[in-house]
Amino acid sequence: GSQIRTCFLPHVEAKGPCFARALIQKELMRGEEYYFQVDSHFRFVQGWDETLIEQLQACPSPRAVLTTLASAYELPRNHTPGGPDD
């Protein structure tokens, strides 16, 4: 089966990010061991997934939640759309 599932919603039915996150949890979750939710403007470093799993395993609670407020980022002035941004 596919590891990617989608849920499309007409923009007139959108009710904000909290509604969207609740809809995702209700409609798309299938008992995965890990659940990761991110906005489209995040940037990732190599090995980010292993790092998060290590951080979860270091938590004493089996229901740990990792959260963050990401720092701002601007593309370089000479950025070519579709090209790397580093």
Side-chain angles (χ1 to χ4, degrees):
S2 176
Q3 292 185 348
I4 299 174
R5 293 183 290 274
T6 58
C7 179
F8 294 96
L9 185 69
H11 73 280
V12 295
E13 296 178 25
K15 299 176 184 171
C18 292
F19 173 80
R21 290 181 180 119
L23 184 65
I24 288 167
Q25 291 176 6
K26 178 181 175 190
E27 299 295 328
L28 301 180
M29 297 288 295
R30 299 289 185 271
E32 289 81 3
E33 184 175 359
Y34 300 107
Y35 172 65
F36 181 69
Q37 191 163 37
V38 64
D39 292 333
S40 63
H41 57 272
F42 273 57
R43 299 178 71 229
F44 295 90
V45 296
Q46 190 74 28
W48 65 268
D49 49 346
E50 289 97 350
T51 299
L52 290 181
I53 291 171
E54 288 172 7
Q55 291 177 358
L56 277 173
Q57 291 172 343
C59 294
S61 172
R63 295 179 51 110
V65 174
L66 301 179
T67 185
T68 187
L69 178 59
S71 58
Y73 174 75
E74 289 187 31
L75 288 171
R77 289 185 185 272
N78 62 348
H79 173 71
T80 302
D85 61 350
D86 52 6

